[in-house]
Amino acid sequence: MSSVRDALGCHAVGIQHGDKRGLSLGQELSLCASDSPDCWILRGASAEDAVTCGLDPSSGLLRSLRLSPVLCVVGINNDPSLSEDADMSATISAAKRASVTGIPSIAVCIASTSVGLPLEPAQMALQAVLGAVGRTIQEGAELTTAANCPRAHFPFPLNGRWSALGTNQLPVDAEIQASLSAASADFAASDCWSLGEMALTNGDASAPKSSPEDKRSILRRAFCDGDTFVCLHVPPRWSLSHTPKPFTSTLPGVIWHQQQSSNQYQPTSEGATFVPQLNTDKVINSTRPCSTSESTSLPISFTIGTGTTLCDSSTRGDVDAVLSGKASLTTLQTWPHSHAFSLLDDLKVEALRESPRGLPLWLDE
């Protein structure tokens, strides 16, 4: 919390939670003040619970405190949520939950599961990133309340998003265009949304090219609207002065988890010497798996072990960045690929353009 206050110069409210995952739907979660000022404890809660209860624009904690959200920071957590592990990360899930409410969000992870690691490297990295974030979300010289919270309908098509499907931003062939036009007409009639002026085209038309500056403007808008969020991974021994370029803008890297399972079979009387008891044979036969072959049996349980984790080199991968000792900053999408709010690929590529410090240029321009 001190990193947020120092970097942004704003009021910071913290909510502590447990290690569980997901949303505790239908469960009552008790809230109490902690010993630290402006910090609260949500008992029996997950990170997603804490974000939801804190930021709900209708009845969340901030609303009860008569405060307006500006930015959500989840972490600092020991959570190596690199590459595909992001899908199972409680930290990233909570940051995404905040983004869904329309609030700019940052997930901050120490890329290790080891306990007792110092927080100072991650705090230094976060403070540097927050300085850039503050300039992105402010208007003029002042921080502004998250403008898209609560979320509002947005006009179709939106620049740089999949909602522009069928326009000159994302052209399609004539057959698909015809089906899109019919679906759009039905949607407008039933939902009464204005689709705006759709510059419909086909695959033969040349789409206008946005400049890098235009793309970075769209990236900033997407972050402020909660349609993207940022994940910061910091190596345990990272230092701001370790290299001339301590950060790098990344994509999810490549990790292969090859989990292995061991199984256990139902014990039988084979190979044993004992005096048969009443009903013994019947019990043994009833516990054997049904099979067309007497020699075939199926396991009764499995245990999944850690197995082996392999890492392949990947251009601008977050795994590669952390292994090289740099802090990784990845621009992640709040919505699934090809969702109406999700960014087009050329914008994801532009998110890799770096400032001299290695931060994404759209954030540190």
Side-chain angles (χ1 to χ4, degrees):
M1 288 175 57
S2 60
S3 297
V4 177
R5 280 194 295 263
D6 295 344
L8 300 182
C10 65
H11 197 109
V13 175
I15 301 179
Q16 298 177 6
H17 54 82
D19 294 332
K20 65 185 294 188
R21 296 174 181 268
L23 284 174
S24 304
L25 298 177
Q27 300 180 33
E28 184 174 337
L29 305 171
S30 62
L31 179 74
C32 63
S34 76
D35 295 333
S36 302
D38 296 320
C39 191
W40 304 79
I41 301 172
L42 194 62
R43 300 192 184 280
S46 67
E48 288 186 69
D49 292 330
V51 165
T52 302
C53 296
L55 300 178
D56 180 5
S58 60
S59 57
L61 176 61
L62 288 190
R63 180 176 175 83
S64 300
L65 294 172
R66 300 185 182 278
L67 297 173
S68 298
V70 171
L71 176 73
C72 178
V73 178
V74 181
I76 302 167
N77 294 328
N78 279 38
D79 187 0
S81 48
L82 300 163
S83 184
E84 68 169 64
D85 290 344
D87 292 338
M88 299 174 287
S89 166
T91 306
I92 290 182
S93 295
K96 183 181 292 188
R97 180 71 56 182
S99 296
V100 168
T101 66
I103 298 171
S105 305
I106 306 174
V108 189
C109 304
I110 299 175
S112 175
T113 56
S114 300
V115 297
L117 293 173
L119 290 178
E120 287 77 10
Q123 289 172 335
M124 286 192 299
L126 174 59
Q127 198 150 11
V129 171
L130 285 173
V133 169
R135 293 189 294 273
T136 299
I137 62 177
Q138 70 184 20
E139 289 186 4
E142 295 184 356
L143 293 174
T144 57
T145 300
N148 201 28
C149 180
R151 277 191 174 269
H153 295 320
F154 73 105
F156 283 82
L158 202 62
N159 282 341
R161 315 293 180 90
W162 265 83
S163 60
L165 180 66
T167 73
N168 51 17
Q169 293 185 62
L170 192 57
V172 296
D173 62 35
E175 181 180 357
I176 296 178
Q177 184 62 70
S179 65
L180 292 177
S181 300
S184 297
D186 294 342
F187 175 74
S190 62
D191 205 66
C192 300
W193 279 15
S194 170
L195 297 183
E197 293 296 327
M198 296 186 72
L200 300 178
T201 183
N202 57 38
D204 297 329
S206 58
K209 300 296 183 182
S210 298
S211 68
E213 293 78 12
D214 291 338
K215 293 176 182 178
R216 292 196 294 275
S217 177
I218 294 172
L219 285 165
R220 285 189 286 271
R221 166 73 184 277
F223 176 72
C224 291
D225 284 351
D227 292 332
T228 63
F229 62 101
V230 171
C231 182
L232 172 64
H233 280 104
V234 185
R237 306 300 176 188
W238 180 86
S239 172
L240 189 61
S241 58
H242 182 63
T243 63
K245 197 174 181 181
F247 296 93
T248 187
S249 181
T250 56
L251 297 168
V254 179
I255 286 180
W256 303 97
H257 291 296
Q258 298 179 339
Q259 278 92 359
Q260 296 174 329
S261 63
S262 59
N263 51 35
Q264 183 175 349
Y265 287 82
Q266 178 74 34
T268 69
S269 61
E270 294 179 9
T273 302
F274 61 97
V275 178
Q277 302 295 318
L278 293 177
N279 222 22
T280 298
D281 289 339
K282 180 179 179 181
V283 171
I284 292 175
N285 290 330
S286 68
T287 58
R288 284 177 176 166
C290 297
S291 173
T292 56
S293 172
E294 285 296 325
S295 62
T296 301
S297 61
L298 297 177
I300 61 170
S301 65
F302 289 91
T303 302
I304 300 176
T306 55
T308 304
T309 299
L310 303 177
C311 172
D312 285 342
S313 177
S314 174
T315 303
R316 287 291 190 89
D318 54 6
V319 182
D320 307 74
V322 168
L323 290 177
S324 68
K326 292 189 176 184
S328 159
L329 210 66
T330 308
T331 304
L332 296 176
Q333 303 241 41
T334 302
W335 311 100
H337 178 68
S338 73
H339 184 284
F341 293 170
S342 66
L343 298 178
L344 299 178
D345 285 350
D346 60 337
L347 288 164
K348 286 290 293 177
V349 174
E350 180 60 36
L352 294 176
R353 197 184 301 272
E354 295 179 337
S355 71
R357 294 189 293 173
L359 296 176
L361 187 57
W362 68 264
L363 195 62
D364 194 30
E365 196 161 12

